[in-house]
Amino acid sequence: MADMSGAATANSAPEVLEGEEGVRRRDWIHIAALSTAGVGAASVLFPLVIQMAPSADVLAESTTDVDVSAIQPGQSIRSVFRRQPLFVKRLTPAEIQEANSVDVASLRDPQTLAERTLDGHEDLLVTMGVCTHFGCVPLGSGEGENRGDFNGYFCPCHGSHYDVAGRIRRGPAPLNLAVPNYEFKSEGVIRVG
Ligand code: FES
């Protein structure tokens, strides 16, 4: 019996070892397969990342510096930001008062003038010159142009009227003229983007 038991032990040991080796072999195959998949994924992702990186000309266009120092109260200038028109307007004290006298709760897209300008620069209104209806360029930034019924901008495509703060007041446009991100890069110069 002892011999048989010993034989059984002697016979079962190699089976266990084979099993362990089998497991180890399978693990290795899995690891190797995963590693290969990882390399494959990396080699696919790398060109994708390269392709998704913005090109130099796009990066150059991502910000626009605008010298606003010469814009007098009541005047506007047009610039271009990311290939779209940008309006920069210096409001007069009367226009600021006009904008602040509006009941904001009554607006379609409620925003105060302060929320649409930088702290301490409530007189400088920077907006995209793109109607929020179907994207036409509103009038009002050029000398003598139609400013609509609210002394701001007027979109002639379908008759949207924006007020002195660029807020939609009448017509089909759903939103105020968009205010892009910007900051003062230096005194008199803003960096948009
Ligand atoms: S695109 Fe301006 S009102 Fe329609």
Side-chain angles (χ1 to χ4, degrees):
M1 290 295 288
D3 284 349
M4 285 180 66
S5 170
T9 304
N11 287 338
S12 63
E15 285 177 16
V16 171
L17 282 175
E18 273 180 13
E20 286 178 351
E21 281 178 4
V23 169
R24 285 193 203 107
R25 199 177 300 118
R26 279 196 299 275
D27 283 350
W28 185 86
I29 290 168
H30 286 161
I31 291 165
L34 283 172
S35 301
T36 306
V39 171
S43 58
V44 170
L45 279 177
F46 189 65
L48 270 179
V49 169
I50 293 291
Q51 284 176 11
M52 289 167 67
S55 58
D57 60 330
V58 170
L59 280 175
E61 281 186 338
S62 63
T63 61
T64 297
D65 291 348
V66 183
D67 185 346
V68 299
S69 61
I71 308 174
Q72 298 301 309
Q75 288 184 337
S76 297
I77 64 166
R78 287 188 207 186
S79 185
V80 176
F81 172 55
R82 293 178 185 164
R83 301 185 184 180
Q84 293 192 314
L86 179 79
F87 295 164
V88 183
K89 180 177 185 174
R90 179 87 63 192
L91 300 176
T92 64
E95 287 173 326
I96 293 172
Q97 193 176 7
E98 183 182 337
N100 288 334
S101 67
V102 174
D103 176 11
V104 175
S106 71
L107 296 175
R108 186 178 300 169
D109 183 11
Q111 271 189 320
T112 64
L113 176 61
E115 289 169 336
R116 293 175 57 73
T117 52
L118 297 183
D119 285 348
H121 298 278
E122 212 178 31
D123 62 327
L124 194 71
L125 180 69
V126 181
T127 66
M128 298 307 300
V130 179
C131 180
T132 60
H133 184 220
F134 283 143
C136 289
V137 179
L139 301 171
S141 62
E143 189 72 32
E145 286 184 355
N146 184 352
R147 292 184 166 195
D149 293 348
F150 297 87
N151 196 29
Y153 300 101
F154 172 66
C155 181
C157 288
H158 310 95
S160 285
H161 298 251
Y162 298 88
D163 69 11
V164 284
R167 299 173 296 197
I168 183 63
R169 299 293 294 276
R170 183 179 299 152
L175 298 170
N176 303 332
L177 293 182
V179 175
N181 288 328
Y182 68 97
E183 61 184 3
F184 273 86
K185 178 189 171 193
S186 60
E187 194 177 340
V189 177
I190 58 170
R191 172 158 289 176
V192 186

